[in-house]
Amino acid sequence: MAILKIARMGHPVLLQRAVEVSDPTAPEIRRLVADMIETMEDASGAGLAAPQVHASLRIFVFRVPEGRGSGDADDRPVGTTVVINPRVQPVGEDLRLRWEGCLSIPGLRAAVPRHWRIRYSGVDTEGRPLGGEVTGFHAGVVQHENDHLDGVLYPMRMTDLRLFGFNEELAKAEALAAQHLAARQAAEAGR
């Protein structure tokens, strides 16, 4: 296995539609998937799509780490999952903003509108079908990674560029907002 180089925003591989995988069980696909998983884990990511490692194929890997899910019954922690030739379909009209980062856009994150509930399907490296109906973080990470397969980066989905910034600056703003809230609650409790 190997750590692969991650393409960054601006690289043409991230802006094209990836091609279907003709044989998900092929040894070169298994090797690529193993390297993608190792790369995702090394970068502490929640997901990674093949175009992000310069392979224009319809493959992504993801996980729903403990503590990242919404607690919804369809958004529980999930170990590393491989999805080849995915199909993703929104269920309902419920769109919610979710904070996203991307290994191809290091150091930044933004609030991106995503469908709260989706249905997805695909196959794994054994050719076995997988997927289901999911919500919350699980639904968001699948939508994010699937977008990579269509040449879409999360800033292209944004509706409010004021909710886009460097991780450090956003963390400072969140800490300041929490301090203001705590001070207001203390003042109200003292009345």
Side-chain angles (χ1 to χ4, degrees), residues 101-171:
C102 181
L103 297 176
S104 292
I105 310 174
L108 295 165
R109 63 187 161 112
V112 181
R114 295 287 184 188
H115 290 278
W116 177 253
R117 181 175 291 279
I118 64 162
R119 185 176 304 115
Y120 74 98
S121 63
V123 297
D124 64 14
T125 56
E126 301 292 328
R128 295 179 298 229
L130 57 81
E133 195 167 302
V134 296
T135 59
F137 183 88
H138 192 154
V141 74
V142 167
Q143 290 171 84
H144 178 106
E145 297 309 329
N146 193 66
D147 270 356
H148 279 299
L149 307 185
D150 292 330
V152 176
L153 296 171
Y154 76 79
M156 298 170 178
R157 296 256 183 228
M158 292 183 63
T159 55
D160 186 348
L161 291 175
R162 293 174 298 173
L163 300 175
F164 188 30
F166 289 97
N167 292 333
E168 296 84 12
E169 297 303 324
L170 292 168

Side-chain angles (χ1 to χ4, degrees), residues 90-110:
V91 176
E93 300 297 319
D94 188 5
L95 286 174
R96 300 186 191 181
L97 288 178
R98 91 182 267 280
W99 285 94
E100 297 186 13
C102 181
L103 297 176
S104 292
I105 310 174
L108 295 165
R109 63 187 161 112

Side-chain angles (χ1 to χ4, degrees), residues 36-47:
M36 286 174 62
I37 291 168
E38 187 172 2
T39 302
M40 176 184 71
E41 290 171 350
D42 180 70
S44 300

Side-chain angles (χ1 to χ4, degrees), residues 29-38 59 61 82 84 125:
I29 298 299
R30 290 173 191 256
R31 206 168 20 260
L32 173 62
V33 165
D35 291 346
M36 286 174 62
I37 291 168
E38 187 172 2
I59 303 170
V61 298
V82 178
I84 301 173
T125 56

